[in-house]
Amino acid sequence: MTHRIPHGSGAKGPDELRHQMEHTKGQLGDAVAHLMDKTDVTGRALARAADLRDKAGAMTVQLRSSAAQAGHAVHDKAAGTGHAVHERAARAGHAMQGRAAQAGHVVQDRAAQAGHAVQGRASRAGHAVQDRAGRAGHAGEGTVPQPLRGALRAGMRHPGPILAVGVLGAAAVAAGIAWRRQRRH
């Protein structure tokens, strides 16, 4: 900051002296300005406050932008997750619906098979009873107990209702068996 001119060396001429004086004056002005800046505490504090305000404003803008981006990212991720969960639930529901329908068809088929089997047995039993009754009626009604003779005659005259009752009873038994098997599994 300071240039000292060695003792005993003077200016060699008036121009050099003026030049040295101008140079010294400039240095002195810089030193005074520097000292004034250091002593101006209020000015420095105001400048620092303005600096901090600018930085805070910039950080606020940056934080708002970051928060908005994070909010959009979370919203997008939540929406994607919601759609994925909805699709999985729909697929699971359709799969369960298909399995239930398939199980229903299996039970329905088994019940139909059981019903046909029981119907066949009932039909064969009805024919056997008719044959026996016919033989008993022809051989003599004396072998059939007195309270059943009227029912036997009615059955021989109208065999359809007896067979229908037998078939309905067989279907009820088949449905009960299918229901009981379903409850076990």
Side-chain angles (χ1 to χ4, degrees), residues 78-95:
T81 302
H83 290 304
V85 167
H86 181 266
E87 288 176 14
R88 288 180 186 154
R91 282 196 303 263
H94 289 305

Side-chain angles (χ1 to χ4, degrees), residues 38-83:
K38 280 190 173 183
T39 58
D40 185 20
V41 175
T42 306
R44 281 193 349 229
L46 290 175
R48 178 78 174 138
D51 243 6
L52 290 174
R53 245 189 331 267
D54 290 345
K55 285 182 182 177
M59 287 183 87
T60 301
V61 169
Q62 185 179 6
L63 287 174
R64 283 183 183 162
S65 173
S66 296
Q69 288 174 351
H72 289 303
V74 167
H75 178 267
D76 292 345
K77 191 169 187 177
T81 302
H83 290 304

Side-chain angles (χ1 to χ4, degrees), residues 20-32:
Q20 283 180 359
M21 282 173 49
E22 288 297 319
H23 180 69
T24 303
K25 214 193 272 185
Q27 285 180 341
L28 196 60
D30 289 343
V32 168

Side-chain angles (χ1 to χ4, degrees), residues 5 9-12 14-27:
I5 300 173
S9 67
K12 295 190 179 173
D15 289 331
E16 192 176 336
L17 184 60
R18 271 190 223 116
H19 178 62
Q20 283 180 359
M21 282 173 49
E22 288 297 319
H23 180 69
T24 303
K25 214 193 272 185
Q27 285 180 341

